[in-house]
Amino acid sequence: MQENDWMKDGGFLKNISLLIIDDQEDYGKRLSSYISNHESSPFMVSLNFGFSEECLRTAGQDIMLISSAFEDECGKCPHDIPVIVLDKEGAFHNKNDDRLYIFKYQSAEAIYRFIIETCMEQVGKSIIASPVGGSPLKVTGLFTPVRDEGTHRMVSAFLKEMSLSGRILYISLKQLYEGPALTEDYLADGEKETGCDDFSTFIYYLKQQKSNLGNRLTLMTARFDDYDLLLPCQISSELYELSAGEWDQIRTVVSEETGYKFLVFDLVDAVPPEASGSIFDEIIILQGRGKWEDCISRRFRTILKRTKSLSDIEIKDKEVRV
């Protein structure tokens, strides 16, 4: 793809043409605006209120979204691009295998994710929405000597402060996530919206050498005000099965294929052996106030210094007010 095939909008590259044909003006405008203005959206959206062969000819498109009110006209749609029918009845009656159906009256986020997932599988071009220019990705290893409720507040405060400088992806390397902001209510909702995908799923895609890893990663995250969260591996041994090259590839994917400015790994109590200094820019120890915390922090520093691949990493102590 040539450089002039891309359009810059809001700091991100848009290279996927989406044609929306709807019969409800208010609904169509709201959905079109949501998709077009979604953070990291790769879509250039065209909107029509009514079906015509002229709009098919004049609006170059890579994917179509069409109301089921015009389902009888779908046979006139191009056969070489994905066509998603917005099903007003929710019947999902696939009369034609070339079409996809999604219930129209649900959250715009769910519809957006469905379109992205369809593009990843069926659109024959990159749909990576990479930031234009800007500072390079910074990768931080975060260590807290003791894990308790106060620690979670410290981590939240640290992420909030960091978020003032850019978007964050936060990944805990502890098998059972117990960090800030995640609640049982969110998990119940997240299962419907995102499937609560985790680092295990991303590692699977990485090892399978799937395309569009950046978009796949973004869709897996749970989104909060100050950062995006990727749930940890279901089996902790998966972290130790990653090679040094695969850890480097993770950094490259986040740096080049997403809009994140910071990648924060919560190290819990150790650094996976192959996650060498080539992935981390710094390791920050969030300081506690007790002698026991100080003792654990010193021990952790000693371990890092004795680990050859990590011995040159900058280690910082940081106090966070909560």
Side-chain angles (χ1 to χ4, degrees), residues 1-17 40-44 62 123-133 212 215 256-258:
M1 179 177 295
Q2 299 298 315
E3 185 175 344
N4 58 11
D5 290 332
W6 296 83
M7 288 187 64
K8 178 179 176 182
D9 182 59
F12 289 86
L13 299 170
K14 293 182 178 285
N15 71 316
I16 300 293
S17 297
S40 303
S41 170
F43 297 112
M44 299 176 289
D62 298 299
V123 173
K125 61 163 66 169
S126 168
I127 59 168
I128 296 168
S130 302
V132 180
N212 290 308
N215 268 287
E256 298 181 2
E257 300 183 18
T258 74

Side-chain angles (χ1 to χ4, degrees), residues 42-302:
F43 297 112
M44 299 176 289
V45 181
S46 300
L47 176 63
N48 281 78
F49 301 112
F51 185 92
S52 71
E53 295 186 38
E54 180 181 0
C55 79
L56 298 180
R57 289 194 302 269
T58 58
Q61 64 270 344
D62 298 299
I63 185 169
M64 283 184 61
L65 196 62
I66 184 169
S67 170
S68 58
F70 305 111
E71 189 175 2
D72 292 340
E73 306 291 339
C74 284
K76 300 175 184 178
C77 296
H79 296 287
D80 56 347
I81 65 169
V83 177
I84 301 173
V85 178
L86 287 168
D87 191 344
K88 299 175 74 171
E89 303 299 328
F92 297 98
H93 50 294
N94 272 317
K95 298 178 181 178
N96 187 323
D97 290 339
D98 293 335
R99 292 180 226 150
L100 301 168
Y101 288 78
I102 186 171
F103 182 49
K104 182 174 183 177
Y105 302 113
Q106 60 178 308
S107 71
E109 178 67 17
I111 294 173
Y112 176 84
R113 287 175 179 269
F114 186 81
I115 299 170
I116 285 284
E117 289 165 1
T118 301
C119 286
M120 287 192 292
E121 300 300 330
Q122 298 191 32
V123 173
K125 61 163 66 169
S126 168
I127 59 168
I128 296 168
S130 302
V132 180
S135 57
L137 178 76
K138 186 171 187 178
V139 182
T140 299
L142 192 64
F143 177 74
T144 49
V146 176
R147 311 294 294 192
D148 56 22
E149 186 176 346
T151 299
H152 302 157
R153 289 197 296 267
M154 288 173 61
V155 173
S156 292
F158 171 81
L159 294 173
K160 184 178 182 65
E161 180 182 331
M162 178 180 275
S163 71
L164 298 176
S165 300
R167 191 174 167 203
I168 304 169
L169 174 61
Y170 172 69
I171 305 175
S172 174
L173 299 186
K174 184 170 183 177
Q175 186 172 351
L176 291 176
Y177 178 75
E178 57 180 25
L182 197 61
T183 66
E184 191 172 318
D185 290 340
Y186 178 82
L187 278 172
D189 183 60
E191 286 172 358
K192 292 180 288 185
E193 287 292 321
T194 69
C196 278
D197 284 319
D198 51 34
F199 202 18
S200 293
T201 306
F202 180 74
I203 289 173
Y204 169 78
Y205 287 138
L206 182 76
K207 289 183 176 291
Q208 293 295 314
Q209 299 182 340
K210 292 284 189 178
S211 60
N212 290 308
L213 284 173
N215 268 287
R216 294 180 191 275
L217 175 61
T218 302
L219 289 175
M220 293 175 192
T221 61
R223 311 199 72 181
F224 298 100
D225 290 341
D226 302 319
Y227 61 94
D228 291 357
L229 165 70
L230 182 63
L231 291 174
C233 288
Q234 299 177 34
I235 303 173
S236 57
S237 62
E238 291 175 311
L239 295 172
Y240 295 87
E241 294 170 359
L242 286 168
S243 68
E246 287 169 334
W247 279 106
D248 289 341
Q249 189 179 355
I250 290 171
R251 176 176 182 134
T252 299
V253 168
V254 177
S255 175
E256 298 181 2
E257 300 183 18
T258 74
Y260 296 112
K261 187 173 181 180
F262 301 103
L263 172 58
V264 177
F265 286 104
D266 194 329
L267 302 177
V268 186
D269 58 4
V271 180
E274 297 298 330
S276 65
S278 62
I279 186 172
F280 292 108
D281 296 305
E282 63 180 3
I283 290 179
I284 292 179
I285 300 175
L286 294 185
Q287 291 291 78
R289 295 183 179 273
K291 292 182 178 180
W292 181 243
E293 287 93 331
D294 291 341
C295 179
I296 296 174
S297 295
R298 289 196 300 272
R299 178 61 178 163
F300 183 68
R301 279 178 171 273
T302 300

